[in-house]
Amino acid sequence: MAAAAIAGVGVHFGLSSSKMGSRMHSSSSRSSGRSVIMAVSIEEKTKKNLTLTKSEEAFAAAKELMPGGVNSPVRAFKSVGGQPILIDSVKGSRMWDIDGNEYIDYVGSWGPAIIGHADDQVLAALAETMKKGTSFGAPCLLENELAKLVISAVPSIEMVRFVNSGTEACMGVLRLARAFTGKEKIIKFEGCYHGHADPFLVKAGSGVATLGLPDSPGVPRAATYETLTSPYNDISAVERLFESNKGELAAVILEPVVGNSGFIAPKGDFLNALRRITKENDALLIFDEVMTGFRLAYGGAQEYFGITPDLTTLGKIIGGGLPVGAYGGRRDIMEMVAPAGPMYQAGTLSGNPLAMTAGIQTLKRIKEPGTYEYLDKISAELVQGIIDAGRRAGHAMCGGYIRGMFGFFFTEGPVYNFADAKKSDAEKFARFYWGMLAEGVYFAPSLFEAGFTSLAHTPEDIKKTIAAAERVFKQI
């Protein structure tokens, strides 16, 4: 049965229709339409003994060595002001920065840490694998083992190709869709992020949205000319694009649950309608499950919603915290990929034994009974508690969750798409962010990113987080 906790709508459907209850609320407050850079003073940052001296010194040095001082833009804290904290170590649900501050972490390395950071079993398996080497550049049995696990779990995948990142997976799947259909145009959705490859940097979410950047300089017009965009959750807009580009569309690609514009779930029949329209027009339906894969269910969002796409991209969890990506789908489509077919794609470190090992161990753990019930329970308590605390303090808020993925907005809602998400009060989010950081809670430093729970998060972690939010809401 379809299942969703939809941002701003106020319902959560479990695996059966009898499991339904309110999960969202809203109240009134000012909202702002754009992400802003907040000037956060040292005094504000160091409340509750949040000392960041070493992070400040290290980041100042980093800016002389790396563009913006980081290797991925959202890490730069542009959306919340101030400067990033530098992490020294992680374990379970916790992180420690180089100044010794401890945080309950709801970023989870942006999704992979579903069983918690630095899991002992994963580390032990990695230690054994490392004794044999860190990279072969040749086939190994570990690739077979992880491939079997992925294929048995994900409904759409009959064959899989491992790569090294979500971006690389989306690059490969787009090339494959065009090769298989003989068409070039694609539809993507505003605020959905599919990595930083040229064809996808059109109305992208994630770091592009966080920094308020236009379509990226350096991307030639020819690279995006065949990329059409539609608002998420607007099926009539998709139908119009198919009508005006009849016979020219290779594929529709989307995050089945958006995690790069904040947490936004699909409306009731949206995914079903996309499946119908793509079939009627001989186009492929591609689910980008880099974020949702193995997080919403063992078979990903496609199992959760009961919709089987033609192709799927994966990442994050299937590498257990190490760099990895994958794309897969129907056998007749995947056999287009070299060396079985003519569509070329390669990677020196693809199928890396360490990434395969961490992925295998992680998938085995989350397949154990009770995993998704536990994630559902703690995410429900977390989101409900934060929204309720915000309401009581007089803030306009809405939010939602599905299993181990969640989000909330500082706006009345509902939030159905990127335009709605941009109504969230960015200045208030920045104040909330730094308040929670001072309380020892680490959320993503952007209002345009989903959050993640893990099996390592305890009921006590959730209680502490809600209590912290209660205090911060009263201050902002």
Side-chain angles (χ1 to χ4, degrees), residues 122-446:
V122 174
L123 293 180
L126 285 172
E128 286 301 308
T129 299
M130 279 196 292
K131 292 176 182 178
K132 298 180 179 182
T134 58
S135 177
F136 302 154
C140 67
L141 281 175
L142 293 167
E143 294 171 278
N144 289 16
E145 188 173 348
L146 184 57
K148 288 176 183 177
L149 289 172
V150 169
I151 290 167
S152 67
V154 183
S156 68
I157 297 183
E158 296 174 350
M159 298 187 83
V160 65
R161 167 61 64 87
F162 292 116
V163 292
N164 299 291
S165 70
T167 288
E168 192 180 348
C170 290
M171 289 169 60
V173 85
L174 175 58
R175 184 180 300 160
L176 176 58
R178 286 171 165 166
F180 183 79
T181 63
K183 307 171 189 177
E184 294 189 0
K185 292 184 178 180
I186 62 163
I187 295 174
K188 73 172 291 289
F189 292 90
E190 296 169 7
C192 281
Y193 179 70
H194 306 293
H196 58 83
D198 287 356
F200 295 122
L201 286 182
V202 180
K203 298 185 179 179
S206 194
V208 180
T210 297
L211 298 177
L213 296 175
D215 295 343
S216 180
V219 177
R221 182 174 181 273
T224 59
Y225 181 72
E226 305 292 358
T227 303
L228 312 178
T229 62
S230 170
Y232 187 79
N233 271 325
D234 188 343
I235 203 64
S236 61
V238 175
E239 289 173 332
R240 289 193 296 271
L241 287 173
F242 269 98
E243 184 61 33
S244 59
N245 296 272
K246 196 171 288 290
E248 298 180 276
L249 282 158
V252 174
I253 185 170
L254 77 157
E255 295 176 82
V257 174
V258 181
N260 289 286
S261 299
F263 175 92
I264 306 174
K267 289 183 180 179
D269 198 46
F270 181 62
L271 299 179
N272 271 312
L274 288 178
R275 178 67 285 183
R276 172 183 55 80
I277 292 167
T278 50
K279 282 185 177 179
E280 290 173 353
N281 289 274
D282 294 320
L284 301 180
L285 179 61
I286 304 170
F287 276 10
D288 179 350
E289 296 224 44
V290 168
M291 194 172 286
T292 59
F294 292 93
R295 180 161 283 279
L296 306 192
Y298 192 68
Q302 55 199 267
E303 176 192 312
Y304 190 82
F305 291 108
I307 309 292
T308 303
D310 300 295
L311 292 166
T312 299
T313 60
L314 297 168
K316 301 188 185 296
I317 287 173
I318 66 163
L322 275 71
V324 77
Y327 61 98
R330 287 177 8 215
R331 181 174 295 272
D332 61 319
I333 303 174
M334 290 300 295
E335 286 180 339
M336 287 284 294
V337 180
M343 190 223 84
Y344 191 75
Q345 178 269 312
T348 299
L349 294 174
S350 297
N352 175 272
L354 296 182
M356 299 296 100
T357 295
I360 290 163
Q361 294 299 318
T362 300
L363 296 196
K364 286 180 177 178
R365 289 283 298 285
I366 60 176
K367 194 177 183 180
E368 294 174 0
T371 290
Y372 294 98
E373 290 80 3
Y374 183 74
L375 292 173
D376 199 64
K377 179 179 183 294
I378 61 172
S379 297
E381 291 171 356
L382 178 68
V383 173
Q384 185 75 62
I386 290 174
I387 297 299
D388 285 349
R391 283 187 74 210
R392 287 192 294 271
H395 300 290
M397 293 193 71
C398 64
Y401 72 95
I402 301 177
R403 302 286 174 77
M405 183 176 175
F406 69 90
F408 48 87
F409 299 94
F410 284 93
T411 182
E412 292 278 0
V415 174
Y416 290 126
N417 52 44
F418 186 42
D420 293 336
K422 290 192 290 184
K423 297 173 185 176
S424 190
D425 190 328
E427 293 184 19
K428 184 174 288 186
F429 175 81
R431 295 196 298 274
F432 175 78
Y433 180 82
W434 279 103
M436 293 300 284
L437 205 64
E439 291 277 354
V441 178
Y442 189 85
F443 288 121
S446 167

Side-chain angles (χ1 to χ4, degrees), residues 51-76:
T51 302
L52 300 177
T53 305
K54 291 182 180 178
S55 280
E56 288 160 1
E57 292 172 352
F59 185 61
K63 287 190 287 187
E64 298 299 316
L65 304 169
M66 297 171 282
V70 294
N71 284 306
S72 191
V74 176
R75 301 176 191 176

